[in-house]
Amino acid sequence: MAEILQYIRKDGLFHHLNALSKIVFLVLVVVASVSITQIPILAGVVVVLFLLAVVGKLYRELLSQVPMLLVLSAGLLLLTVLTMQSGDVIGHLIPAAVPVIGGAFPITTGALTFAGILSFRFFAMIFAFQLVIISTQPRDLVYALQQLKFPVDYSLMLLIALRFIPSLQLEGKRISEAQLARAYNPGKGLTGKLRSLGPLIIPLVSNALGKANVLGLTIDLRGLRTHPRTVMAEQRLVGLDYAALVVMLCALVGLLWYLLF
Amino acid sequence: MKSRDIAIVGILLAIGAILRYLSNVIPGAIVANPIIALYCLALILIRPSVRDALGIGLVAGVVSALISHSIFPPANLISEPIGALVCVAVYGMLYKRVLGPGIATLLATLASGFSFLLISLFVIVFSVVSAPGESFTIEAFVIAVSPIVVFTAIANSAVTQILYFPASRILMRGASGSAGKGKAKSSRPGAEEPLGRESADGAGTGARKIPDPSESLTESATRSDEVIRFDNYTYQYPQGEQPSLIDVTTTIHRGECVLVSGPTGAGKTTFCLAATGVLHHEYGGKANGSIGIFGKYVGEYEDLGEIGQYIGMVFDDADAQLIFTTVEEEILSGLENRGFSEDEVHARLEEVLTLTNTAELRHRPPHTLSGGQKQRLALAATLAGGTDCLILDEATAELDTRATAMVLGILARLKEEGKTILVVEQKFDELIDLADRIICLDNGHISGELTPDEAAAQEASSDFGTPEPLPELSSGSPEPSEPLVVIEDLVHSYGSVTALKGVNLTIGAGELVAIVGENGSGKTTLCKHLNGLLRPTSGRVLVDGQDTKDVSITQLATTVGLVFQNPDTMLFADTVEKEILFGLRNIGRGEDMACVTTVLDEVGLAGTLSRFPRSMSRGERQRLAIACVTAMNPAIIILDEPTTGLDPREAERIMQIIGQLNKQGQTILMISHDMGIVARHAHRVITMDAGRIVSDTGGV
């Protein structure tokens, strides 16, 4: 299984940006994605994001997301075609030649345009989230959230969640092997997933909760909730951040111009 | 909120994120979100305030948004706090009802799911209102995705309901137990009650204060020669039926290295937790007598954070002490909150990295480290705090010889620097040269305080490692006969790393073989080929005449049983009986109760059918894991580090069981780092190094 939400160590543009700048970038992309309703401009946003990924040496990671995004976009297209009847009819989901039900579910230009808008928004937001996640150390993300007045208790929760995801993935694999070695065969598909709930998830949750006590004591003994922290250089905004913020400000002005005029 | 609660929420959200990732199979505007089930479980287990529930919901929203493949990820930032609020409100009304967790989660998921849907639709409709969406039918869209929300709600409800009971028993809280911060008055009426006339914080009648209470904290902490002082201290856990420490009186002085010794259940960990102030500030319970830390009563410290400036503690579970996502961050976490300048932080970081041999690991995330590396990192992060006193509770219990030697080398250097060290350890022989004094604990009492020479003499003459005899088995010891396992030119690669490099091996029926070697030498990879968990990259493995590549894991499990190093990897049922029947059912012998009682008798667990496996001691759980495998009567049993983490008596008991199984006719393969046990029990020793067999003392 691929590692979830994990930082990838590289020496690229995004890696040199402060986490706070990346949060601003994320907000800008989300606002732009939900504000823009023209497919060519949305496609342009996606292309710009991809080019930024190339500059940031992270394009392979974005490309690996594309097959899954295409599948999800296809689902979105189906859902939109089924629920939207506007514009010209350009065909039918069930061809007219099929007896009895032929001609059902017309495919309209409005539905296709709408699905296109949703899909590009989808691409833009997922690309932006991916770029931020894989280029940001969780600790920097948490520190940036604290600068935004996110309470320390909640940022610690987030940090612990991000830290333990890969460890628990490995633990889950070990548990799965242990039950397989006991001739356990839950089967595949949804039924298999439901059957595996007891033998796989119960030990996973139990073992994980067994760590909570030591983890809590470690937090207390290290004074992570109570003591003031030394601000390190890498946690401050640098020239690149200010340059990025200026570019993002320009992009925001452009977006406002687009929305208003 | 307690730190433990923060840890519980974080850990459960991590599991939720994994499940969410695995469930990203439903394409479209909304996907099933098991994170809701897990944060609801957390809310039900810790029962936070409304404000904290909203905060937990917000964190869950951030995790959901980061991992989301839904149409509008930021909607999670609103929908999850709504879900959390509903969960807390509903569970508040259904507290202690059997189906409370399931119902609360059901309604929370519906609330979260539909609010997510409404927010997403609002954004979509609002943004395209003048574009091609005029005819977009919201009703149709809602009808199309509603079944997904309802299905997710039902699934989440089942997940939380199923997980609630084992989780609450593990935590001993919620409806089935109680716990809470020692100073909290609400949840535990018995908290902080004195057992007798004196209280744990020294405030009770007759409690004797230690040096000069008028001194400021810093002065007293740095000038006192007494680092930790117990005065007639007795302690009973909130859920305990009898005291775990009884009338303990001892003083640990500055610069001393003290080894705390004793069998499992003697009170060693409780002794450490008392010395760190954890019992007073976190656990509550009942106590008599007093504890002083650097000249002040434990109750005079504001919290554990304040005590943590003077005492650092390293626990046996290294992984649970690592909070950050790289080695460097972990160590920095101990440095950044000590008021140092940035330059000082960097200088001390380098010092600690060098001292603990972790410099080359500085950018590695914790999950990629070996057990020994993790423990060195936990030690490094604790040392970064710069405390004068260090307490290690079985910190090397799960480490191999080499990793243990590295940790002990660090302790030796710290002792030279004048640090005070308190070590709980089963590896008596390896620590005896380091210790100035040995405190022997037995059943909560200090049974003696010895010099290293006295302790060594006592150890040599004791029968400490001899366990109670087990029932004899009827079968005689077979001579090794026909080859049962034949491995030819076995190569196995994990991506670009070749873990096995052309292994040839034959094992006869009835052999008891030990496989030894350093971590990463290929021992476990080799053994996993015997039951099909791994398939050869090249070469072949024959088990009982069958090529493993032609047989499923399920089929091989009837011939080859595997007992993992950590028994908790496999135990999940709520009774011992169900745990053993699980394996028997998998091979079509689900009604064989006679077998269940027989195997339990064989491992010395007769009469434990209805016990909750997780409430048993580590040794008992290890024996139960062996029973689960032997019940399936495989011809070959593989045991991965069966004695790791056990005291000598329990380790010998396990080896006695293994010996009897071998006498009964079963072929045993045992991976071990304990060369003493290997020398005493194995008939044949195979040594592996860098993916190859480098020596073999015998064979068919």
Side-chain angles (χ1 to χ4, degrees), chain B residues 353-540:
Chain B
L353 285 168
T354 306
L355 176 68
T356 54
N357 293 317
T358 47
E360 63 189 31
L361 309 171
R362 65 194 307 158
H363 297 308
R364 296 258 301 268
H367 69 279
T368 65
L369 304 178
S370 69
Q373 289 168 335
K374 282 180 186 173
Q375 200 56 276
R376 263 154 54 210
L377 174 56
L379 183 57
T382 307
L383 288 174
T387 55
D388 284 335
C389 176
L390 195 63
I391 298 179
L392 295 97
D393 183 11
E394 305 217 30
T396 66
E398 308 238 346
L399 306 188
D400 63 25
T401 312
R402 192 170 158 188
T404 300
M406 288 191 88
V407 171
L408 296 184
I410 296 166
L411 292 185
R413 273 181 276 169
L414 293 173
K415 189 185 171 192
E416 283 172 17
E417 288 175 14
K419 299 270 187 193
T420 308
I421 302 170
L422 180 66
V423 195
V424 168
E425 197 49 79
Q426 300 289 356
K427 295 172 182 171
F428 189 84
D429 296 340
E430 294 166 51
L431 267 158
I432 197 76
D433 293 337
L434 198 64
D436 297 312
R437 183 159 56 105
I438 292 93
I439 295 176
C440 303
L441 279 173
D442 195 12
N443 283 324
H445 294 273
I446 290 185
S447 58
E449 295 201 29
L450 308 171
T451 64
D453 290 341
E454 289 169 341
Q458 196 177 82
E459 174 78 359
S461 62
S462 75
D463 60 349
F464 189 58
T466 308
E468 297 293 316
L470 290 163
E472 280 294 324
L473 299 175
S474 54
S475 307
S477 173
E479 290 298 316
S481 55
E482 293 299 307
L484 194 56
V485 175
V486 178
I487 298 173
E488 295 171 352
D489 298 321
L490 177 60
V491 174
H492 188 86
S493 301
Y494 297 102
S496 59
V497 178
T498 305
L500 293 178
K501 301 168 182 170
V503 172
N504 289 289
L505 179 64
T506 303
I507 297 170
E511 285 197 80
L512 198 167
V513 182
I515 304 178
V516 301
E518 294 295 343
N519 287 338
S521 58
K523 307 182 297 293
T524 302
T525 301
L526 175 65
C527 287
K528 281 183 176 176
H529 277 84
L530 302 190
N531 67 350
L533 286 174
L534 292 175
R535 307 288 178 174
T537 304
S538 67
R540 66 174 190 160

Side-chain angles (χ1 to χ4, degrees), chain A residues 3 34 37 68 83 114 121 139 154 163 177 179 182 207 213 215 220 222 225 229-230 233 236, chain B residues 1 3 52 69 124 127 137 283 319-322 330 333 336-337 340 342 367 528 579 586 614:
Chain A
E3 287 189 356
V34 298
T37 54
M68 183 272 301
T83 58
F114 190 61
R121 283 178 177 176
R139 174 170 158 271
Y154 307 143
R163 142 77 178 96
E177 287 181 345
Q179 306 303 29
R182 296 167 80 185
N207 293 351
N213 203 32
L215 197 52
D220 283 334
R222 286 199 210 157
R225 297 170 69 191
R229 305 183 71 80
T230 306
R236 299 190 198 104
Chain B
M1 200 167 15
S3 296
D52 283 333
H69 287 140
I124 291 165
S127 61
T137 52
Y283 285 16
D319 194 50
Q321 295 162 83
L322 307 180
E330 195 69 49
S333 75
E336 285 177 355
N337 53 11
F340 294 143
E342 190 176 342
H367 69 279
K528 281 183 176 176
E579 196 66 65
N586 291 337
R614 298 259 173 178

